[in-house]
Amino acid sequence: MSKELAAAIERDDLLEGAGMHPDDRKTCWTHQTWAADCEDRHMRPTAGRLLAEALELERIRAAR
């Protein structure tokens, strides 16, 4: 990670802590990269995805 990116992540963290909306970040805290570089890796929760996740968790629990 470059010094510039690390400083930008820290700045975004401080701004978000002060009330900035998370969508206004220039960096991605999750992926530790620039937001534009990972925007396609974030999947918005939909009813179908939530149901699929719940069913998968139920399947895993039942297998134990």
Side-chain angles (χ1 to χ4, degrees):
M1 176 184 312
S2 71
K3 288 181 182 181
E4 180 184 8
L5 176 57
I9 289 172
E10 185 175 344
R11 184 180 59 246
D12 279 355
D13 290 346
L14 291 171
L15 289 171
E16 192 174 347
M20 178 181 79
H21 193 279
D23 288 344
D24 293 334
R25 290 183 68 102
K26 303 277 189 269
T27 61
C28 175
W29 183 85
T30 303
H31 297 112
Q32 297 291 294
T33 188
W34 296 103
D37 294 343
C38 71
E39 61 189 23
D40 61 332
R41 292 199 275 177
H42 293 274
M43 297 174 67
R44 301 234 184 257
T46 63
R49 284 195 188 115
L50 294 173
L51 177 60
E53 184 177 333
L55 291 172
E56 179 65 9
L57 290 172
E58 195 174 300
R59 183 191 68 77
I60 292 169
R61 286 186 192 116
R64 290 183 182 181

